[in-house]
Amino acid sequence: MKDIVPWPFPKSLDGFLWRLSSRFIIATVGFIGKFILSNSTPYVMNSTRVVNRHILVDVLDSRPCHVPVITVANHTSCFDDPGLWSILPIRHVFNIDVIRWSLTAHNICFTNNMHSQFFARGKCVPVVRGGGVYQRAMDYCIQKLNEGQWVHVFPEGRVNMDHSFIRFKWGVGRLIAESKVMPIVIPFWHCGMDQVLPNEYPYRFQWGKQVLVNFGQPIDLKEVMQHAKDVDADDVLTRKMITDKIQEEMMNLKDQTEKMYSKLKKTS
């Protein structure tokens, strides 16, 4: 990471002080998230409806320990991560060994040592925008996937403030292609997060808003990987083929979720 801060992760994350501080930060942020995005009655600040939450929950609970998980989602608010994870059961939200690793913009969250230590202990990995697919953050996430852990990616690569179409970045393709074990790839689309925390000054959390989160079925990439093998695709083409498949599935989920959200708003 150039001109920001040193790499924030020690060689081992098993140290007592690291785990204690990480547990405190993750639990505190998780509690705040559940306060802001209530997904059970009575609602506190904002109401959140979750569709097919069991898809992710079941995978986190029952997959073999060596099988990694990748979640992919649209990105509309700076509170998407960590806020959206508050919809999960407490046993996931507060568990530092289960909760996701998340690729995070280094020039926003890692601008000084204090911020760096905070976000690192929250399992955020500093990715350099424009740094390409071969950078330390991507290597680190591949390492975590190879340990059977969960990594979250916003493949649009930035907060999409105007909800326009943004071609997905190929980094997610590299994560999947270079994992030793094929990850379980779970897509989800959400609506309303930019109402909870608007992308404009004064950047304050709002009350009484509605959020919809819709999980899709795991994306089957077997055919894509087999086709890449059949045509003897190089690394670049393989990443593109994987990313294109994920983008296709996400666009279908987007249409479905936006229709659901429109009906939800009309009936509220």
Side-chain angles (χ1 to χ4, degrees):
M1 292 182 300
K2 190 176 180 181
D3 297 328
I4 305 292
V5 292
W7 185 251
F9 299 106
K11 289 183 179 180
S12 173
L13 305 182
D14 292 330
F16 173 76
L17 290 179
W18 179 276
R19 286 184 63 82
L20 180 63
S21 57
S22 180
R23 189 182 302 277
F24 175 78
I25 287 171
I26 288 172
T28 300
V29 172
F31 177 81
I32 293 170
K34 283 189 170 292
F35 180 83
I36 295 172
L37 295 176
S38 306
N39 64 303
S40 61
T41 54
Y43 300 123
V44 184
M45 285 186 66
N46 302 280
S47 64
T48 306
R49 180 182 175 188
V50 186
V51 180
N52 293 328
R53 184 181 77 156
H54 69 277
I55 293 174
L56 178 57
V57 171
D58 290 348
V59 165
L60 294 178
D61 285 342
S62 62
R63 79 189 191 281
C65 62
H66 69 286
V67 177
V69 177
I70 292 179
T71 48
V72 291
N74 59 313
H75 200 7
T76 61
S77 167
C78 289
F79 191 56
D80 289 348
D81 190 309
L84 287 166
W85 308 125
S86 66
I87 65 174
L88 293 174
I90 288 176
R91 68 179 184 275
H92 301 123
V93 178
F94 293 176
N95 191 330
I96 65 172
D97 297 315
V98 173
I99 198 66
R100 91 291 172 262
W101 289 90
S102 183
L103 287 162
T104 309
H106 86 302
N107 62 327
I108 295 177
C109 297
F110 292 81
T111 53
N112 59 53
N113 188 61
M114 184 176 69
H115 291 167
S116 177
Q117 293 303 311
F118 176 84
F119 284 102
R121 283 165 171 78
K123 298 180 71 172
C124 297
V125 183
V127 63
V128 180
R129 288 172 176 165
V133 298
Y134 293 106
Q135 56 174 289
R136 193 168 185 179
M138 301 301 294
D139 296 340
Y140 194 75
C141 285
I142 291 172
Q143 174 188 328
K144 294 305 173 186
L145 290 169
N146 287 335
E147 294 170 0
Q149 299 194 32
W150 166 22
V151 172
H152 177 71
V153 182
F154 292 112
E156 292 169 301
R158 61 178 174 85
V159 175
N160 189 348
M161 292 188 286
D162 59 3
H163 301 267
S164 60
F165 174 78
I166 299 176
R167 182 170 180 79
F168 285 7
K169 304 298 185 288
W170 292 359
V172 66
R174 185 194 169 204
L175 294 180
I176 294 167
E178 297 189 19
S179 294
K180 292 178 181 178
V181 176
M182 174 62 69
I184 300 171
V185 182
I186 300 177
F188 67 96
W189 199 271
H190 55 87
C191 299
M193 287 295 290
D194 54 342
Q195 300 298 310
V196 172
L197 181 62
N199 295 307
E200 56 187 24
Y201 186 81
Y203 307 108
R204 292 175 181 167
F205 287 105
Q206 304 298 302
W207 292 72
K209 305 300 181 182
Q210 289 184 315
V211 174
L212 174 65
V213 184
N214 183 23
F215 285 92
Q217 293 295 327
I219 299 175
D220 187 353
L221 293 167
K222 290 183 180 134
E223 286 189 14
V224 173
M225 299 302 290
Q226 184 60 50
H227 182 53
K229 185 177 179 180
D230 291 343
V231 301
D232 196 23
D234 61 13
D235 292 346
V236 175
L237 180 56
T238 300
R239 289 196 297 268
K240 180 181 183 302
M241 292 170 68
I242 294 170
T243 306
D244 286 350
K245 175 62 175 177
I246 291 173
Q247 182 171 281
E248 177 186 345
E249 295 293 329
M250 285 286 284
M251 291 302 102
N252 293 334
L253 193 60
K254 170 182 183 290
D255 292 341
Q256 178 191 96
T257 308
E258 289 181 345
K259 289 176 183 177
M260 295 169 61
Y261 188 62
S262 179
K263 290 181 181 178
L264 180 65
K265 296 285 284 185
K266 288 179 181 178
T267 57
S268 61

